[in-house]
């Protein structure tokens, strides 16, 4: 059925243009899908490792801004605990696999399988967020202030990306790598 919500206008994701919260999150989804597709195509170990690193970083940033900003605002506006809690649990599953990928390398016999399973988990999760009746559609219906949330998330995303880009990949690995510290700070 065609959506009739006249407020459902998404801004162009072009650089420098402010994006509303949903346009920003959807653009992140498309970006990470591209990275997974590139990973699948390459046979070079160094390229694989670089792409997996980019995928893990992008997902860490994305899940953090959702958990810190979008999900709480969604829960507040809709009181839809089922959608909210399921999304958080799916994030937990993805984070577990991300930590495993970051702790290993393409020499690991299971490396490609881990990235493949992560891509499948993310595909499922993204579908749940974007499908009719999913979190994004419900957020639009609830008339959340998506412009303000988009601005807040863009700012937080910039901060997290700067933190990650200043950290050599090796420093992220291991049980108490910076990504885990950021993730635990995010759940304060
Ligand atoms: Fe998402
Ligand atoms: Fe999510």
């Amino acid at each position: 059925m065609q959506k009739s919500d006249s407020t459902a206008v998404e801004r162009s994701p072009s650089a420098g243009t402010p994006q509303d919260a949903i346009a920003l999150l959807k653009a992140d989804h498309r970006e990470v899908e591209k990275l997974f597709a590139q990973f699948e195509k390459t046979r070079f170990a160094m390229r694989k490792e670089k792409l997996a690193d980019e995928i893990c970083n992008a997902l860490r940033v994305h899940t953090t801004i959702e958990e810190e900003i979008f999900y709480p605002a969604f829960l507040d506006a809709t009181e839809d605990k089922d959608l909210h809690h399921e999304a958080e649990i799916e994030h937990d599953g993805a984070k577990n696999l991300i930590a495993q990928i970051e702790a290993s390398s393409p020499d690991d016999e299971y490396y490609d399988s881990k990235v493949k399973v992560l891509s499948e988990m993310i595909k499922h999760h993204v579908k749940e967020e974007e499908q009719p009746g999913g979190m994004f559609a419900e957020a639009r219906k609830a008339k959340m202030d998506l412009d303000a949330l988009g601005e807040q998330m863009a700012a937080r995303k910039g901060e997290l990306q700067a933190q990650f880009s200043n950290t050599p990949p090796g420093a992220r690995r291991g049980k108490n790598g910076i990504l885990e510290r950021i993730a635990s700070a995010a759940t304060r």
Side-chain angles (χ1 to χ4, degrees):
M1 201 171 72
Q2 186 74 37
K3 261 184 78 180
S4 60
D5 184 354
S6 61
T7 62
V9 176
E10 278 176 22
R11 292 179 183 174
S12 148
S14 56
T17 309
Q19 288 174 281
D20 85 14
I22 291 170
L24 183 150
L25 294 173
K26 281 187 172 177
D28 279 359
H29 292 169
R30 302 296 83 83
E31 189 62 40
V32 88
E33 281 163 5
K34 254 189 251 166
L35 293 171
F36 276 123
Q38 286 171 20
F39 183 95
E40 205 154 316
K41 276 191 207 133
T42 191
R43 279 169 294 134
F44 300 106
M46 273 176 68
R47 176 89 180 124
K48 279 188 185 188
E49 193 163 26
K50 188 174 179 292
L51 283 165
D53 204 48
E54 283 180 41
I55 289 167
C56 292
N57 278 352
L59 289 174
R60 292 278 192 176
V61 171
H62 182 80
T63 54
T64 301
I65 60 174
E66 282 187 336
E67 288 171 22
E68 283 185 358
I69 300 163
F70 188 76
Y71 286 4
F74 173 84
L75 186 58
D76 216 37
T78 65
E79 295 179 355
D80 190 333
K81 285 189 184 171
D82 287 347
L83 275 183
H84 174 271
H85 293 3
E86 279 170 35
E88 285 208 316
I89 299 296
E90 288 181 357
H91 278 198
D92 286 349
K95 279 187 231 170
N96 182 306
L97 208 40
I98 288 167
Q100 288 189 43
I101 292 165
E102 285 173 337
S104 70
S105 73
D107 304 338
D108 178 347
E109 203 192 328
Y110 287 85
Y111 195 72
D112 287 6
S113 304
K114 285 172 184 169
V115 176
K116 176 77 186 163
V117 172
L118 180 64
S119 89
E120 284 164 357
M121 286 169 85
I122 295 301
K123 193 186 278 181
H124 168 85
H125 179 70
V126 160
K127 187 171 166 246
E128 300 255 300
E129 287 184 337
E130 296 190 8
Q131 72 192 354
M135 217 183 218
F136 294 175
E138 293 307 302
R140 289 234 184 260
K141 273 195 215 152
K143 309 262 182 264
M144 288 163 60
D145 189 346
L146 296 172
D147 287 333
L149 289 169
E151 247 176 69
Q152 232 182 306
M153 284 196 290
R156 184 65 178 130
K157 186 176 166 181
E159 274 175 18
L160 291 164
Q161 283 171 330
Q163 270 173 281
F164 292 174
S165 65
N166 288 330
T167 312
R172 297 191 196 110
R173 301 200 198 289
K175 197 114 183 71
N176 295 304
I178 188 163
L179 291 167
E180 298 214 343
R181 295 203 300 278
I182 288 168
S184 67
T187 54
R188 263 177 298 140

